[in-house]
Amino acid sequence: MKQENKAHGLRRTFAAGVMGVGLLFPVASWSETLADALVGAYNNSGLLDQNRAVLRAADEDVGIAKSALKPVVQWTANATQNVNRSVSAGSTFVVAGTRTDTDSLTTTANLIASLLVYDFGATRYGIEAAKETVLATRENLISVEQQILLRAVDAYMSVIQSRELVSLRENNVRLLTQELRAARDRFEVGEVTRTDVALAEAQLAQARSGLAGAQGDLISAKAYFKVAVGREPGNLTAPPSLPSISDIRTAKALAVRSHPDILAVQHQVAAAELLIRRSVAAMEPQVSVQGSLGVTETFDSQSSSRSGSVGLQLSQTIYQGGALSAGVRKNRAQRDAQRGNLHVVVKDVERAVSDAYAGLAASRAQIEASQRQVSAARIAFQGVREEAALGARTTLDVLDAEQSLLDAQSSRVTAQTQIYVAAYSVLQATGQLTARNLKLPVQVYDPAAYYNLVKDSPAKMSKEGKQLDRVLRALQKD
């Protein structure tokens, strides 16, 4: 019941458009909707899976950065075999003397622990930079999601357009076949010449060639649909009303404020700033606590000893060939590069919004013009046929009128499908083409779920680590 309510909400969302432009396609018994295609694209996209894995890798960087503030515990062990050989004699001429052999096996085991106490914030800056990188990667994932959904819309409309064009071409072939039959009958009774028959034959051959091309385009559109959605297209229904679109000024303001490409670069700029602070702090001293516990066993003398120590260590790199200073300059240059990239991305997003609105306006104008063109071409074709029956028009006039009507109908089909791609391109340009905003009945990927499990770098044997193992097994199973 809950799933049905979600699907009903999706249909209601798609139907709540302010531009009531509907396709003139027959609904018949088609069953697959545009919402179904979008759901399939979201659930079956390998590109989304890839970028989700990239995000999980970025999540791990936060845990890795935080681990520098936790104790580091290591153990070492070694075994040493000592062999001593000595010979003693009473004088230089003594042939026989006393030989002493001393062998011993010594084993040593040490447990060493260290903890960073203070480093002028270098580690903290690194942690915050890793967090900003995670946020940027999340925005990149949203951008990929938008691309996947727009491609699904394009693939869906491409199949509908190709099927309609095939239907038009098939009808054109049937009509021209009738025209050729009529021309031959009229030629038999002497009403037209052999030239009229040849014109009808040539037009029919051209129509059959156009039909073959349209059928090839349909095969290509189906293959595109399978790549975009993850399955073969079924009986596609005519899409619902266009989504609600605001005015261009509001859309630009919304895009600059919330577009994932802009937000991603903003987080990258913040990460670059933090990396500068980290590289500067890395030139300062570090304070750490170190402790060790050791055990030594000598087996020949059956002796053993234990030792332990705890100390406070203060260290600083005085000279490293200029590497530290170069690192600061490098991070500053990268920060400047990200700032410049932010300026470019903002301009690109604003231009994308303008282009999307221009495409939508052009599609609207094309629909209106093509509808008038179809109406006029149909009246002209019917009139030319009647005049030809009375001998006032030639066969060529009839064929030209039929071709004009076919061209007008094809233009209308193309315009009626492309306006949907244009409308959803507007949503993408403003950053609103997401499964959440479209209210798709899918399990929306939660980017924070995995992050919350790994942000504190849980050990494998801990409770959190075992929970993480279950999540990873589920991801591999999916």
Side-chain angles (χ1 to χ4, degrees):
M1 180 64 69
K2 186 175 181 180
Q3 194 75 4
E4 291 177 357
N5 291 337
K6 287 183 178 179
H8 180 68
L10 174 64
R11 298 189 192 99
R12 187 167 60 250
T13 300
F14 277 124
V18 296
M19 299 176 295
V21 183
L23 295 179
L24 302 181
F25 303 140
V27 177
S29 59
W30 295 350
S31 57
E32 186 170 1
T33 66
L34 177 58
D36 295 331
L38 293 174
V39 169
Y42 186 85
N43 290 332
N44 301 321
S45 173
L47 187 58
L48 275 178
D49 291 339
Q50 173 192 348
N51 282 271
R52 288 166 183 167
V54 171
L55 176 58
R56 293 197 297 272
D59 292 341
E60 296 289 355
D61 286 337
V62 176
I64 293 172
K66 283 187 175 182
S67 66
L69 297 177
K70 297 180 180 181
V72 178
V73 181
Q74 298 174 310
W75 64 268
T76 62
N78 61 73
T80 304
Q81 178 71 47
N82 298 312
V83 179
N84 296 318
R85 297 287 187 268
S86 62
V87 177
S88 62
S91 67
T92 306
F93 302 99
V94 174
V95 177
T98 303
R99 176 173 177 171
T100 304
D101 295 341
T102 305
D103 294 345
S104 63
L105 176 63
T106 303
T107 62
T108 304
N110 294 289
L111 186 65
I112 305 169
S114 62
L115 175 64
L116 178 65
V117 177
Y118 186 69
D119 63 353
F120 286 84
T123 301
R124 290 291 181 185
Y125 291 138
I127 294 172
E128 295 303 317
K131 290 180 179 179
E132 291 292 340
T133 301
V134 167
L135 296 176
T137 309
R138 289 182 185 179
E139 298 299 333
N140 289 332
L141 178 60
I142 295 175
S143 183
V144 171
E145 179 183 338
Q146 290 202 129
Q147 297 172 21
I148 294 300
L149 295 179
L150 182 61
R151 187 172 66 166
V153 172
D154 186 39
Y156 188 94
M157 301 312 300
S158 294
V159 173
I160 290 182
Q161 174 180 316
S162 298
R163 285 178 175 174
E164 286 299 312
L165 292 178
V166 167
S167 178
L168 286 176
R169 293 286 181 178
E170 289 174 343
N171 184 65
N172 185 44
V173 168
R174 287 193 297 269
L175 185 58
L176 290 176
T177 300
Q178 295 174 3
E179 292 292 341
L180 176 59
R181 187 180 302 113
R184 286 173 176 172
D185 292 342
R186 294 171 67 188
F187 173 73
E188 293 295 333
V189 298
E191 293 182 3
V192 296
T193 65
R194 178 61 187 167
T195 302
D196 295 300
V197 176
L199 287 172
E201 290 175 343
Q203 195 75 3
L204 178 59
Q206 182 181 356
R208 286 172 175 167
S209 175
L211 174 59
Q215 290 171 338
D217 291 340
L218 178 57
I219 293 174
S220 178
K222 288 181 177 179
Y224 177 36
F225 185 95
K226 185 176 181 179
V227 171
V229 179
R231 63 172 181 272
E232 295 286 347
N235 295 321
L236 306 186
T237 63
S241 300
L242 294 175
S244 178
I245 304 296
S246 58
D247 63 275
I248 187 170
R249 182 176 299 179
T250 303
K252 282 187 176 181
L254 177 63
V256 172
R257 188 171 61 253
S258 63
H259 196 282
D261 290 353
I262 294 178
L263 296 180
V265 181
Q266 287 176 343
H267 289 301
Q268 290 168 358
V269 171
E273 292 279 3
L274 290 166
L275 290 176
I276 293 174
R277 298 181 184 182
R278 185 187 69 173
S279 59
V280 172
M283 303 174 70
E284 302 295 334
Q286 290 186 353
V287 181
S288 60
V289 175
Q290 294 183 340
S292 65
L293 179 64
V295 177
T296 301
E297 295 279 353
T298 303
F299 287 93
D300 64 331
S301 61
Q302 300 297 318
S303 64
S304 65
S305 62
R306 289 172 173 78
S307 62
S309 65
V310 177
L312 189 66
Q313 178 177 321
L314 179 65
S315 63
Q316 182 181 12
T317 301
I318 299 176
Y319 180 72
Q320 198 176 352
L324 295 178
S325 299
V328 174
R329 294 192 298 270
K330 175 183 176 181
N331 288 328
R332 285 174 177 165
Q334 290 176 337
R335 185 269 317 274
D336 295 341
Q338 292 296 348
R339 285 178 175 176
N341 186 37
L342 177 60
H343 178 75
V344 172
V345 171
V346 169
K347 296 300 182 182
D348 287 344
V349 167
E350 290 178 340
R351 179 183 176 183
V353 173
S354 298
D355 291 346
Y357 270 85
L360 182 59
S363 296
R364 286 172 173 170
Q366 288 171 358
I367 287 179
E368 295 176 1
S370 63
Q371 287 174 343
R372 290 193 297 267
Q373 183 183 4
V374 168
S375 178
R378 181 175 291 110
I379 293 174
F381 173 66
Q382 293 172 352
V384 169
R385 288 191 67 180
E386 292 177 0
E387 292 174 3
L390 298 175
R393 293 282 186 170
T394 64
T395 301
L396 180 59
D397 294 330
V398 176
L399 296 177
D400 288 343
E402 162 63 15
Q403 185 62 45
S404 297
L405 177 58
L406 174 64
D407 292 341
Q409 291 172 331
S410 299
S411 297
R412 182 178 63 177
V413 168
T414 301
Q416 288 173 334
T417 54
Q418 289 307 307
I419 193 172
Y420 278 87
V421 180
Y424 283 94
S425 295
V426 171
L427 293 183
Q428 183 199 30
T430 56
Q432 304 304 303
L433 187 60
T434 64
R436 190 180 303 277
N437 290 332
L438 295 178
K439 296 182 173 60
L440 293 179
V442 296
Q443 182 64 43
V444 177
Y445 184 79
D446 182 7
Y450 186 84
Y451 173 82
N452 291 333
L453 290 175
V454 302
K455 64 180 180 180
D456 294 320
S457 57
K460 187 174 181 63
M461 68 289 295
S462 66
K463 178 181 178 181
E464 293 80 4
K466 294 177 181 178
Q467 183 181 0
L468 178 59
D469 285 340
R470 289 193 295 269
V471 172
L472 291 173
R473 285 195 296 269
L475 288 172
Q476 293 170 356
K477 189 177 298 183
D478 291 341

